[in-house]
Amino acid sequence: MNPIYKAYCRAYQTVFRGAAYLIPWREPELITGAGTVKTLPSIIKAKGINNVLIVTDKGITKLGLYNSLVENLEKTGIKYSIYDGTQPNPTINNVNEAKAMYINNRCEAIIAFGGGSPMDCAKLCGAAVVRPKKPIQKMRGLFKVMRKLPPLFAIPTTAGTGSETTIVAVVTDSETHEKYPVNDPQLRPRYAVLDPELTVSLPPSITAATGMDVLTHAVEAYIGRSNTKSTKEAAEKAAKLVFENLYEVYSNGQNLEARENMLVASYFAGIAFTRAYVGYVHAIAHNIGGLYNVPHGLANAIIMPYVLEAYGKYAYKSLAKLADLTGAAGDAATEEEKAKNFIEAIKEMNRKMEIPDKIAELKEEDIDTIAKRALKEANPLYPVPKLMDRKEIAEVIRRLLP
């Protein structure tokens, strides 16, 4: 990397890390435990809200996962509309459709119900409502919303994105297929409902991919250069919970205790990366997902070992600590050995859960475009342990070819 540009990136990150202390990091009010989704309507009613928009997807509708929620909304006299057109990688068109439904039905609040995609769509729907003259494209990047959203209640049905506690929403441009994040403290939900009963019907493949998404958030936040004491602690809790519970919920989806532990892991990982940010795993995954519609968690799971290996010695110290914490260090004595064992443990988790080690959709002719877009997202913002240039990122992506 050009030394001058490298210095610029690090200076930018240092300034932003300092400025982050001035941001009001309001965390959502947490509601946890089996069956807690049924209690949300009474909380909404107590706030004087009588009409809500539920943002979800057709998979959730087909499974009937929100049935108990709408039954209790009806019992409490709250009107509701349901937007279930969210795609696996939500688009600007999805956001505009949800916004139109919110306005036309005179809604007063939004309930995000589902995985990361409905969460992202719901957040940006709220942003579009309070910023009616500002296109979503103009909200890309940092602090482009800056207006209080309608009350936003988040109910995750996967233990994955941590979107119920983050200030970020990711969207795909419907025309260019470019995928990018919108970051703003106003996007953070007011309430997060962690009900493990909503996750027991998840297929093992989705459980695996979303669980590895949690680990990616924790690892990228932990090895980055913008950590605080609290983000380190949150990332450590999340990583440990993933190693202790993910394969169990993959193998035995009815284990409510393990399911709840994974939801808690997702929440802590969300807290960690909201403040400490992510890295090149996410930058590459976002753009592969946008181009080929690869689910985000699956993309992260496949890409993570390759990026961690590319960081090399710059990430050994932090990865060694995670290896000790999670039991992945084994008999290793040095930081390098422990770090490499941790990466191997990630690969082994992927293998055990039948996650592939290549991106089947990836084409050689798209690599340069993906690398260019990934760097546009990552540099100078993401405080990665090792800054890479376009050529280095392209080499990482090339390793993903089937």
Side-chain angles (χ1 to χ4, degrees):
M1 176 176 282
N2 181 296
I4 296 175
Y5 184 66
K6 182 177 180 179
Y8 163 71
C9 289
R10 290 308 190 196
Y12 183 100
Q13 292 159 16
T14 299
V15 171
F16 195 81
R17 184 164 61 249
Y21 286 96
L22 304 176
I23 297 173
W25 296 102
R26 169 192 54 81
E27 293 179 7
E29 186 168 332
L30 200 58
I31 304 169
T32 64
T36 49
V37 70
K38 300 173 185 176
T39 67
L40 182 60
S42 60
I43 294 172
I44 294 173
K45 188 70 173 180
K47 294 187 170 296
I49 297 168
N50 297 297
N51 194 346
V52 300
L53 174 67
I54 300 172
V55 177
T56 186
D57 59 47
K58 294 192 184 303
I60 299 292
T61 298
K62 185 176 181 180
L63 291 171
L65 286 182
Y66 54 64
N67 288 352
S68 62
L69 171 66
V70 299
E71 287 171 5
N72 283 279
L73 286 172
E74 291 170 356
K75 287 179 182 178
T76 52
I78 297 174
K79 295 179 181 179
Y80 62 89
S81 306
I82 299 174
Y83 175 75
D84 66 358
T86 311
Q87 296 178 19
N89 288 297
T91 66
I92 292 174
N93 286 345
N94 291 154
V95 174
N96 289 334
E97 289 167 358
K99 171 192 172 184
M101 185 175 287
Y102 181 97
I103 293 171
N104 293 339
N105 293 320
R106 299 182 180 180
C107 299
E108 302 164 353
I110 302 171
I111 299 175
F113 196 107
S117 298
M119 297 277 181
D120 288 347
C121 186
K123 290 177 178 181
L124 292 176
C125 171
V129 167
V130 298
R131 284 285 196 180
K133 296 182 180 180
K134 192 170 191 176
I136 297 299
Q137 293 92 331
K138 296 292 185 181
M139 298 184 194
R140 177 176 183 166
L142 298 169
F143 312 129
K144 303 289 180 63
V145 181
M146 299 302 287
R147 284 186 187 172
K148 187 176 181 180
L149 268 63
L152 177 58
F153 304 86
I155 308 174
T157 59
T158 64
T161 66
S163 289
E164 67 276 5
T165 186
T166 69
I167 66 169
V168 63
V170 181
V171 68
T172 298
D173 190 300
S174 308
E175 296 181 2
T176 67
H177 302 289
E178 187 176 3
K179 187 173 181 178
Y180 51 81
V182 176
N183 296 272
D184 195 290
Q186 298 296 345
L187 296 179
R188 205 169 203 180
R190 305 281 183 86
Y191 284 84
V193 181
L194 307 185
D195 187 340
E197 289 183 354
L198 298 175
T199 68
V200 295
S201 61
L202 281 176
S205 60
I206 297 178
T207 296
T210 54
M212 292 304 289
D213 195 17
V214 176
L215 186 61
T216 308
H217 293 151
V219 171
E220 288 214 286
Y222 195 75
I223 66 176
R225 296 171 55 149
S226 289
N227 267 299
T228 65
K229 181 181 178 181
S230 62
T231 63
K232 284 182 179 179
E233 290 174 350
E236 288 173 348
K237 288 177 183 177
K240 191 170 187 293
L241 284 169
V242 171
F243 270 79
E244 292 172 348
N245 294 278
L246 179 53
Y247 189 70
E248 169 60 21
V249 293
Y250 172 79
S251 307
N252 178 18
Q254 299 299 311
N255 186 330
L256 278 177
E257 182 180 358
R259 286 287 190 186
E260 184 169 353
N261 285 339
M262 283 302 301
L263 283 169
V264 172
S266 180
Y267 180 82
F268 277 122
I271 288 176
F273 88 83
T274 288
R275 179 73 180 268
Y277 283 95
V278 286
Y280 291 132
V281 179
H282 272 76
I284 296 170
H286 285 156
N287 288 285
I288 284 178
L291 196 59
Y292 303 118
N293 211 30
V294 177
H296 178 64
L298 178 62
N300 272 343
I302 298 170
I303 296 165
M304 177 163 49
Y306 296 99
V307 172
L308 295 181
E309 287 173 344
Y311 285 143
K313 64 182 181 181
Y314 299 93
Y316 284 163
K317 184 176 181 179
S318 296
L319 291 178
K321 289 180 181 178
L322 288 177
D324 284 332
L325 182 74
T326 60
D331 297 328
T334 68
E335 286 183 348
E336 179 179 353
E337 290 170 344
K338 290 178 180 181
K340 289 181 176 179
N341 282 357
F342 184 76
I343 296 171
E344 286 303 314
I346 293 172
K347 292 180 180 179
E348 179 59 21
M349 288 173 70
N350 280 344
R351 283 193 291 268
K352 286 170 64 177
M353 297 185 295
E354 300 184 351
I355 292 174
D357 60 358
K358 304 292 181 183
I359 303 288
E361 297 85 351
L362 182 61
K363 298 181 178 71
E364 174 72 37
E365 58 265 31
D366 294 330
I367 289 177
D368 192 57
T369 297
I370 295 168
K372 181 179 178 181
R373 290 177 175 179
L375 284 185
K376 183 178 179 181
E377 173 182 331
N379 295 345
L381 177 62
Y382 293 166
V384 292
K386 175 191 175 184
L387 286 164
M388 299 186 204
D389 60 22
R390 189 163 155 186
K391 182 179 178 181
E392 290 172 296
I393 290 295
E395 284 305 309
V396 172
I397 299 168
R398 191 164 282 110
R399 294 184 65 194
L400 301 169
L401 283 168

